Amino acid sequence: TILDLHCTVGLGCFALRRAFPAATVSGLDFSPHYLAVARHHEAERGGGIAAWHHALPEATGLPSGSFDLVSAFLLLHEMPQDTTRRILREARRLVRPGGSLAVMDMDPLCSAYQTMPAPILTLLKSTEPYLDQYFSLDLEQELRAAGFDAITSRPCSPRHRAVVASVAL
């Protein structure tokens, strides 16, 4: 069972469904507009998504331990640190023993951001109001504090990282 915690218009759900065809995939987003578009995209594709949930990623209302994998793609850099911490605790609550949280987001340590000219970085921050908070967040430490056990982090593009945090059996 997989939950895309920030599904927006469903593209991540469809990719997860292709990658894990035997899995039950659900999407969750806090935007009813995005969920309507996701449902439309799903109808065009002939179905395949188990459920679309309208909720905040830090307060899903879904049952504890109900997912093998929770994904959060390009979500955390959009949030203040307090909200990010609540999201990580909620993701841990949702992941059953032996399951994982997969995060794909901006990599604050990559050379693209480290060497970005100040005017360009300022322009980027003008569209990303919580970027400074995200860049100063120690994600691995916060994942451990949320209750995740094994954590791996790898670059997945020149500006992004993939972080997988697992829960022991």
Side-chain angles (χ1 to χ4, degrees):
T1 55
I2 300 172
L3 175 66
D4 187 0
L5 198 55
H6 175 59
C7 70
T8 66
V9 298
L11 299 179
C13 289
F14 305 129
L16 288 163
R17 185 82 179 106
R18 282 190 307 276
F20 303 100
T24 300
V25 177
S26 298
L28 180 142
D29 205 89
F30 49 88
S31 167
H33 172 74
Y34 281 162
L35 289 172
V37 175
R39 285 184 183 99
H40 176 76
H41 286 164
E42 179 190 15
E44 288 180 334
R45 287 171 170 77
I49 303 303
W52 299 104
H53 302 279
H54 178 230
L56 294 171
E58 67 269 28
T60 66
L62 298 171
S64 296
S66 52
F67 295 96
D68 297 299
L69 176 65
V70 172
S71 67
F73 299 135
L74 297 172
L75 170 64
L76 301 182
H77 78 274
E78 300 285 355
M79 303 292 161
Q81 283 187 359
D82 292 358
T83 303
T84 296
R85 289 183 183 100
R86 289 194 303 274
I87 290 169
L88 297 177
R89 287 193 300 270
E90 178 70 356
R92 172 57 192 93
R93 186 185 71 74
L94 294 171
V95 174
R96 66 176 50 113
S100 299
L101 167 67
V103 174
M104 191 286 291
D105 216 312
M106 300 168 82
D107 184 356
L109 301 178
C110 76
S111 63
Y113 297 122
Q114 296 292 321
T115 61
M116 188 173 284
I120 302 299
L121 187 57
T122 299
L123 181 62
L124 176 62
K125 289 177 184 180
S126 73
T127 65
E128 302 289 353
Y130 300 109
L131 198 58
D132 282 334
Q133 288 189 44
Y134 173 73
F135 277 10
S136 67
L137 183 76
D138 184 336
L139 184 56
E140 289 187 20
Q141 177 183 325
E142 296 299 338
L143 286 164
R144 281 189 197 86
F148 288 97
D149 302 306
I151 300 163
T152 59
S153 180
R154 294 194 176 100
C156 60
S157 85
R159 294 180 309 210
H160 299 89
R161 63 183 169 180
V163 180
V164 177
S166 299
V167 177
L169 283 172

